[in-house]
Amino acid sequence: MSETSTAAANIGVVGLAVMGSNLARNLASREGNTVAVFNRSYERTETLVSEHPEANFIPASTYEEFAASLTAPRTAIIMVQAGRGTDAVIDALTAVFEPGDIIVDGGNALFTDTIRREKAVRETGINFVGAGISGGEEGALLGPSIMPGGSVEAWATLGPILRSIAAVVDGEPCVTHVGTDGAGHFVKMIHNGIEYADMQLIAEAYDLLRKGAGYSPAEIASIFSEWNTGELESYLIEITAEVLKQVDAVTGGPLVDVILDEAGSKGTGVWTVQTALDLGIPVSGIAEAVFARALSSKPAQRAAASALPGPSEAFSIGDRAAFVEDVRQALYASKIIAYSQGFDAIVAGAEQYGWNIQKGEIAKIWRGGCIIRAQFLNRITEAYAENPGLVALVTAPYFTDAVATAQDSWRRVVSGSALSGIPTPAFSSSLAYYDGLRAERLPAALVQGQRDFFGAHTYKRVDLEGTFHTLWSGDRTEIESAGSSH
Ligand code: 6PG
């Protein structure tokens, strides 16, 4: 189909549920954009157009009309629920688009699906870009953080459009070309994994303040608001204070007390952990957050286990202000570990899939618009700017100092929570990871010995080159083995 004289829109949006509508309105509000809109049911399109005359949307009732309303290269952002619906829309768009046009998937697609789709769409000469978009409904409307993958050629057209709608921090739009094919959705997936860890860590801090020190939700809201003025300053801490402040209209008590304590999920946290397992990267903070949601959502097991014995002692707290500071430090240190692990997964993913991902740029585009936006991300950008080859974020001087300051508090909180029976899976596993990472010797040596004993899996020695096996069921002499130890 060639461009017709009616083509007037430089960008189109397919899928007009809340995220899609808000993104379309955001696009329309920026100088230079004219936005075509399409939805499977035309009624929704009509409603959006009539409710927002200021946007001057160009509505389309068929894919043909939609394509005809776009100027070349046609560029359309798909905003539908990730899954099979995405494939159906891609098929419909490829049928009416032409080589050089650009199809963007702005949903939370699994990055391997994006790699597959990019490959298939490329065959037609059309560009396919998987773009992670973070910031929820408000972000979509006012300025999200955007993580596009896809080709450099597509980025040339798409870049200015996405820059026009992204959140802006220190004059810089929160969008960068992350890498080719699925790189954008991969990084968005890790963003969500970190989001899970961040949320779980905050929830554990709340639980400690509530059950350990006996603070009320309103008091904890004030503590979080105070924390939000320091190094923990972030969107998630800010909204946590809002949630804790909220009074339930029905009971007159704190809303948090009447919300069922079973956390849901849509899958991106699970994907992060599955992917990290495949890549061999310990993302224990994120994994604990996923598991904590899973545990919360097992009411029958929890009911059966509620009679299990707990400790006799409550959390032993001398000075309450010192305890609050301990929890804050434990939260900060664990958060550093979660990000350090998340960036490890990005590095490993980039290597595995051949993406040239600039870690500092990722931290930069996460400073605004997205759910994990935080002051702290500036420190990550600086750390990678100082040392692009940084092997673990936590080893950057700023973070090493932060953890050095925090560690006594962190240890007190983790040991106190174990003694008093307050579950802190993310705090505890982050500390265990930290101690494992910094250990000069790990008991992995013993695991290698065990593996060699039962399976002749061989081992390496600290003092000699080569691979070895002990004749465990023979005379227990050591022999050199031909294979390499795995
Ligand atoms: C974002 C969010 C967004 C969404 C997640 C929540 O970056 O804007 O991460 O993608 O809120 O889907 O995930 P769960 O429903 O799994 O908690």
Side-chain angles (χ1 to χ4, degrees):
M1 178 183 301
S2 330
E3 193 181 324
T4 68
S5 53
T6 58
N10 64 317
I11 180 80
V13 176
V14 178
L16 302 176
V18 186
M19 287 291 288
S21 301
N22 283 3
L23 199 81
R25 288 172 57 201
N26 183 354
L27 283 159
S29 72
R30 313 290 170 161
E31 184 87 43
N33 288 336
T34 303
V35 186
V37 286
F38 176 86
N39 193 69
R40 197 165 45 155
S41 91
Y42 189 58
E43 219 181 305
R44 196 186 277 266
T45 311
E46 285 180 311
T47 310
L48 177 70
V49 171
S50 66
E51 281 176 359
H52 295 283
E54 79 289 350
N56 288 316
F57 286 128
I58 303 183
S61 61
T62 63
Y63 279 108
E64 287 75 12
E65 228 179 280
F66 180 70
S69 66
L70 287 161
T71 54
R74 295 177 189 79
T75 307
I77 306 180
I78 303 172
M79 295 297 289
V80 302
Q81 183 102 42
R84 248 184 268 145
T86 309
D87 283 309
V89 176
I90 292 169
D91 288 348
L93 285 175
T94 44
V96 292
F97 274 20
E98 289 179 340
D101 291 348
I102 303 166
I103 298 173
V104 183
D105 174 14
N108 264 337
L110 180 60
F111 75 97
T112 44
D113 284 343
T114 303
I115 292 175
R116 166 180 62 79
R117 288 169 179 151
E118 197 274 339
K119 204 160 166 245
V121 174
R122 197 181 340 129
E123 306 269 294
T124 68
I126 297 169
N127 295 288
F128 181 77
V129 175
I133 301 181
S134 177
E137 294 171 14
E138 197 184 280
L141 183 63
L142 303 174
S145 171
I146 312 176
M147 293 148 256
S151 69
V152 173
E153 183 200 350
W155 172 242
T157 303
L158 204 55
I161 299 171
L162 297 184
R163 268 198 284 267
S164 77
I165 58 164
V168 176
V169 174
D170 295 341
E172 294 182 79
C174 294
V175 56
T176 190
H177 182 223
V178 173
T180 52
D181 56 52
H185 275 144
F186 180 89
V187 164
K188 173 59 167 56
M189 176 188 75
I190 302 293
H191 164 284
N192 280 29
I194 293 174
E195 170 186 308
Y196 272 56
D198 228 340
M199 293 167 74
Q200 174 64 21
L201 290 168
I202 292 171
E204 289 178 18
Y206 154 75
D207 213 25
L208 283 160
L209 294 170
R210 185 105 194 245
K211 293 184 189 146
Y215 286 110
S216 70
E219 286 169 326
I220 302 171
S222 305
I223 292 170
F224 280 122
S225 296
E226 171 65 29
W227 289 357
N228 204 37
T229 62
E231 53 203 356
L232 280 172
E233 192 271 311
S234 63
Y235 171 71
L236 283 171
I237 293 275
E238 181 193 326
I239 64 160
T240 302
E242 294 302 319
V243 174
L244 289 173
K245 253 189 258 171
Q246 186 70 17
V247 172
D248 172 44
V250 179
T251 58
L255 177 70
V256 70
D257 286 351
V258 294
I259 297 180
L260 189 67
D261 59 345
E262 293 176 23
S265 64
K266 290 193 200 71
T268 49
V270 173
W271 293 345
T272 307
V273 179
Q274 285 172 334
T275 304
L277 285 173
D278 287 340
L279 293 168
I281 301 299
V283 290
S284 44
I286 299 170
E288 290 298 349
V290 174
F291 291 145
R293 290 195 193 187
L295 183 149
S296 79
S297 304
K298 299 277 177 289
Q301 275 192 339
R302 289 176 60 194
S306 64
L308 292 177
S312 45
E313 303 279 316
F315 208 119
S316 150
I317 294 165
D319 177 343
R320 286 181 17 126
F323 173 74
V324 172
E325 177 58 9
D326 274 356
V327 174
R328 188 186 75 82
Q329 291 284 5
L331 175 54
Y332 190 43
S334 305
K335 179 174 165 137
I336 291 170
I337 295 301
Y339 279 73
S340 194
Q341 294 180 336
F343 274 90
D344 283 351
I346 291 178
V347 170
E351 201 174 301
Q352 171 84 16
Y353 294 97
W355 298 318
N356 178 23
I357 299 181
Q358 303 299 315
K359 279 101 61 190
E361 286 300 303
I362 301 304
K364 235 187 205 177
I365 66 165
W366 285 350
R367 290 180 307 166
C370 65
I371 304 297
I372 64 170
R373 61 185 181 259
Q375 267 303 319
F376 165 89
L377 286 151
N378 277 315
R379 307 287 88 78
I380 299 182
T381 302
E382 285 160 14
Y384 283 117
E386 260 166 47
N387 180 4
L390 194 62
V391 291
L393 190 59
V394 66
T395 63
Y398 176 86
F399 294 112
T400 304
D401 287 352
V403 174
T405 307
Q407 72 158 323
D408 287 348
S409 296
W410 199 8
R411 293 182 193 285
R412 277 193 294 272
V413 167
V414 168
S415 56
S417 63
L419 288 171
S420 60
I422 300 173
T424 54
F427 277 10
S428 307
S429 86
S430 303
L431 179 57
Y433 168 85
Y434 173 73
D435 283 332
L437 191 65
R438 65 178 195 85
E440 211 169 299
R441 286 278 294 161
L442 286 169
L446 178 59
V447 172
Q448 284 296 78
Q450 293 164 331
R451 293 177 68 239
D452 191 55
F453 188 102
F454 64 67
H457 293 297
T458 73
Y459 52 86
K460 289 192 187 295
R461 296 181 54 104
V462 295
D463 52 353
L464 297 171
E465 284 294 309
T467 303
F468 299 90
H469 169 57
T470 289
L471 300 169
W472 296 103
S473 48
D475 65 1
R476 301 210 167 178
T477 54
E478 184 180 71
I479 57 166
E480 197 157 353
S481 159
S484 63
S485 123
H486 283 297

